[in-house]
Amino acid sequence: MENKRLILVTNDDSILSKGFTAAIEVARHFGEVVAIAPETVQSGMSQAITMYSPLFLRKVREEAGVTVYGFTGTPVDCVKMAFDHLLRDRKIDLVISGINHGSNAAVNVLYSGTMGAAIEGSFYGCPSVGLSLTDHGEDADFEASILWGKRIIADLVHRIDEIELPLCLNVNVPVGRPEQIRGMRLCRQNKGYWREEFFHHEDPRGRDYYWLTGEFINREPEAEDTDERALAEMYVSVVPVQVDLTDYGQLEKLGNILK
C-alpha cells in the first residue's frame, strides 16, 4: 500500500450507512483516508449546496490512516468543506463517493447525491469515482462492490499520469456474490426517464400528504452498449461522466429558428 496518497471519501447515505464503511475500506487500500459524510441521509440531493443555514462539522473517529467526520450539509457541501477548508493546504489525490445503496445508472446520475459529490470533486481537477451497488437495502452485501472498487481504482492510481483531467467515473455494481459478477464494461449512459407517481394520503388532522415513487422507463431496451444492459447481464458498468450539458446537435438547428 502506498500511504503517500490522500483519499477523500464521502457519500449521500450518511456517516451511518454500511456503504460508507465499505467505501472507506476501498480507499484505505490506497493511502491516507479523510472521510466526510452527511450526518443524515441526503439521497437525491444532486449538486445541492447549503446557503441559508449554518453548517456543523464534528470529528467522529480517528484511527491509523483514517479520519472520519460528520457534516450537517449535503454531499457537495462535504466535498467543498474538504477542498476549501479542512484540507485546503494539502493535495487530495482521489475522491471516492459511495458506496451508494442503490443504482446510479442511466438518468439517476442527475439526481444522485453520491454522483453530485463525485462530479464536484472533478471540478477541483481531482480524479473522482462514484461507486454504487444496485441494492437499496440497509444491510446490503458490499463484498463484490469493495472488490471491484479496489480493482478499478488500482488501475487508475497505477497509471495516474496518463489520465486526462477532469475525470469522473460512474461505477455501478450489480447485486450478486463476487463469483457471480462476469466482469466489467466501459459503456455509455442509458437513455430513459422516471415516470413519477404520487400516493395520496390524509393525516389524522385531515391534511393531504403525498409519498413519491416511480418507475424507470428505458427508452432503448435493445441497446447493447449501455450501463443498464451491462448491469442486467451481471457486469460492472463504468461510465465516464462530463458536466457540459450543451445539446450540440441543436445548436445549428436553433440558429435557423432563433434569429
Side-chain angles (χ1 to χ4, degrees):
M1 181 172 68
E2 300 180 34
N3 287 315
K4 293 183 179 179
R5 299 189 188 93
L6 176 60
I7 316 295
L8 172 64
V9 176
T10 189
N11 80 344
D12 71 357
D13 290 315
S14 88
I15 57 173
L16 300 178
S17 71
K18 189 175 179 180
F20 184 51
T21 301
I24 292 173
E25 175 61 26
V26 171
R28 71 190 307 165
H29 187 72
F30 299 99
E32 178 190 351
V33 177
V34 175
I36 309 175
E39 294 275 12
T40 59
V41 175
Q42 298 285 314
S43 184
M45 294 300 287
S46 187
Q47 298 290 140
I49 58 175
T50 304
M51 299 177 63
Y52 303 109
S53 301
L55 297 169
F56 299 88
L57 181 72
R58 70 181 178 97
K59 183 181 289 186
V60 177
R61 69 179 187 275
E62 187 171 6
E63 56 193 69
V66 177
T67 307
V68 180
Y69 295 87
F71 198 40
T72 57
T74 68
V76 168
D77 288 332
C78 291
V79 174
K80 289 181 177 294
M81 165 57 70
F83 277 94
D84 295 327
H85 180 73
L86 191 64
L87 302 173
R88 185 186 184 101
D89 297 325
R90 302 184 63 185
K91 179 180 182 293
I92 300 173
D93 297 289
L94 179 70
V95 173
I96 298 176
S97 185
I99 298 174
N100 191 65
H101 291 247
S103 171
N104 277 321
V107 73
N108 292 325
V109 67
L110 295 177
Y111 303 113
S112 167
T114 292
M115 286 308 301
I119 291 168
E120 186 71 22
S122 73
F123 290 164
Y124 288 87
C126 186
S128 301
V129 180
L131 296 174
S132 302
L133 172 67
T134 60
D135 185 341
H136 287 276
E138 291 184 10
D139 196 36
D141 182 356
F142 285 92
E143 184 177 352
S145 297
I146 293 172
L147 175 65
W148 280 97
K150 288 179 179 179
R151 287 187 183 183
I152 291 168
I153 290 169
D155 287 343
L156 291 180
V157 299
H158 291 154
R159 303 183 69 171
I160 197 74
D161 293 336
E162 301 176 37
I163 292 176
E164 181 178 345
L165 298 176
L167 176 74
C168 181
L169 299 183
N170 182 14
V171 178
N172 286 272
V173 180
V175 177
R177 298 292 302 158
E179 61 271 16
Q180 296 175 297
I181 308 299
R182 299 173 64 187
M184 180 197 74
R185 284 182 182 170
L186 191 62
C187 46
R188 66 176 175 86
Q189 178 182 321
N190 193 102
K191 296 178 182 178
Y193 62 95
W194 281 91
R195 175 64 68 194
E196 260 63 52
E197 185 172 359
F198 291 86
F199 285 98
H200 171 251
H201 298 275
E202 189 175 281
D203 73 8
R205 296 184 178 182
R207 296 175 300 183
D208 293 329
Y209 69 93
Y210 299 86
W211 279 107
L212 173 65
T213 185
E215 176 187 6
F216 177 70
I217 307 299
N218 189 340
R219 291 178 54 194
E220 44 181 358
E222 304 303 321
E224 298 182 355
D225 60 345
T226 69
D227 48 10
E228 289 287 349
R229 174 58 70 91
L231 292 168
E233 296 181 352
M234 292 300 292
Y235 286 89
V236 175
S237 68
V238 180
V239 178
V241 175
Q242 65 178 7
V243 296
D244 183 353
L245 298 180
T246 306
D247 187 344
Y248 291 97
Q250 290 282 12
L251 282 177
E252 183 176 352
K253 295 177 183 178
L254 287 172
N256 296 321
I257 297 172
L258 305 176
K259 298 180 180 180

